[in-house]
Amino acid sequence: MAVFGVLAAALGAVGLVSPDAQLSLLGLTAPGGRGSGDHTSAFVTASSTAALNMGVYYVLAALADWRAFFGWTVPFRLLTCAVFTAAVVTGRAPEAFLGVAAWEGLGALATGAALLRERRAGAEEA
């Protein structure tokens, strides 16, 4: 949780400081000049702010050892994986988004497996 939180917060900060760098990390080309109606920077700012906030939530949850929060992240990260994968399959997002989908899916599976392992170890001790 803490590692994911730090990475999410750091990537969110990158997007706030340098939206073009964030787009490049996602495999997207930054528009050369922004024309009327191009709201790319607004969307990068919004998603970067969300990533920064989410990262801080994850770090705080890890510091508090808030297991319920850890469990809640599993289905929602799997949902994010499914949505990003579908966006690529339907042509709404570039193939680079599969990396983000994999990060979310693998993170969810790792979190779920760790929680299950802890639950089983606790049951054996009881």
Side-chain angles (χ1 to χ4, degrees), residues 4-110:
F4 176 76
V6 168
L7 290 173
L11 289 172
V14 166
L16 291 173
V17 172
S18 177
D20 288 351
Q22 183 71 298
L23 289 170
S24 177
L25 286 171
L26 293 171
L28 301 172
T29 304
R34 291 187 164 60
S36 176
D38 179 2
H39 301 291
T40 303
S41 61
F43 280 98
V44 172
T45 298
S47 64
S48 295
T49 300
L52 177 62
N53 289 339
M54 181 180 63
V56 172
Y57 298 154
Y58 272 69
V59 170
L60 292 175
L63 290 172
D65 198 28
W66 191 13
R67 301 283 184 211
F69 177 83
F70 302 164
W72 298 334
T73 69
V74 173
F76 290 103
R77 290 187 76 187
L78 289 173
L79 175 63
T80 301
C81 174
V83 169
F84 283 9
T85 300
V88 172
V89 169
T90 61
R92 293 182 66 184
E95 286 185 14
F97 264 52
L98 289 177
V100 180
W103 168 260
E104 291 292 339
L106 293 172
L109 294 175

